[in-house]
Amino acid sequence: MIASVVGVDTVVRDEPHKVPDNRFTAFVRLQRELAHIESDSAAIMQLIVMYAARLTGADGVAIEMIESDETVYRAVCGTAAGFLGQRLPRTQSLTGLAITAQAVIHCHDTETDSRVDRTACQKIGVRAFVVVPLQHDRQFIGGLEVLASASGA
């Protein structure tokens, strides 16, 4: 474990789930917290979106998972917090495109980008975002979305 190697065993003993400002400290704490969650995938995903939001300064973060021909928000925070469980057709989701392309996708402005569902983005309050495809056992299973309320972010 990285915390043991660098001698920062006490870093994660204060408030659980409070993401520290220091990025190194945050990664150490995330590693520790993930190790204690075991196999609760919902808790793991929620912890990841919380840390991703804090570490990137994003207005919101979501993990969108593929389910059949749809994508579904399975973990959310920030501006996306009220949209847990939201479903989109995979073909109308930038996460679906990122998985198909097997590449990171950046949308600079949801109002002008023809690849996004403009109505869904307006509903969430998103003007720009990045989608990083997620893999498990060499299969693409979803995407991590880092969201911004301003275009060009």
Side-chain angles (χ1 to χ4, degrees):
M1 184 175 278
I2 199 167
S4 300
V5 173
V6 294
V8 289
D9 290 336
T10 59
V11 167
V12 297
R13 292 203 173 105
D14 50 18
E15 300 176 50
H17 303 299
K18 181 179 182 224
V19 181
D21 291 324
N22 176 289
R23 287 183 183 196
F24 175 75
T25 304
F27 281 115
V28 170
R29 179 176 287 156
L30 176 60
Q31 179 185 14
R32 288 264 177 110
E33 289 189 41
L34 288 172
H36 288 89
I37 290 176
E38 299 189 18
S39 63
D40 182 352
S41 62
I44 290 169
M45 288 189 290
Q46 192 59 43
L47 190 60
I48 289 169
V49 297
M50 289 170 42
Y51 273 80
R54 178 60 181 219
L55 291 170
T56 63
D59 296 315
V61 176
I63 292 179
E64 198 171 353
M65 302 297 290
I66 297 295
E67 291 185 11
S68 187
D69 59 349
E70 295 180 312
T71 59
V72 183
Y73 278 24
R74 290 294 174 207
V76 293
C77 73
T79 56
F83 299 94
L84 185 66
Q86 176 175 305
R87 295 178 173 273
L88 289 170
R90 184 175 172 175
T91 57
Q92 295 176 13
S93 163
L94 212 54
T95 293
L97 178 61
I99 290 168
T100 301
Q102 299 180 4
V104 173
I105 303 279
H106 186 195
C107 171
H108 296 278
D109 190 346
T110 59
E111 293 295 314
T112 60
D113 193 324
S114 62
R115 302 172 299 174
V116 302
D117 181 331
R118 196 168 291 113
T119 305
C121 290
Q122 289 170 345
K123 185 175 164 185
I124 298 171
V126 174
R127 285 293 304 272
F129 63 105
V130 174
V131 180
V132 179
L134 301 174
Q135 282 185 289
H136 177 69
D137 290 337
R138 298 183 188 206
Q139 298 270 333
F140 287 91
I141 59 168
L144 174 70
E145 297 182 351
V146 178
L147 313 170
S149 57
S151 63

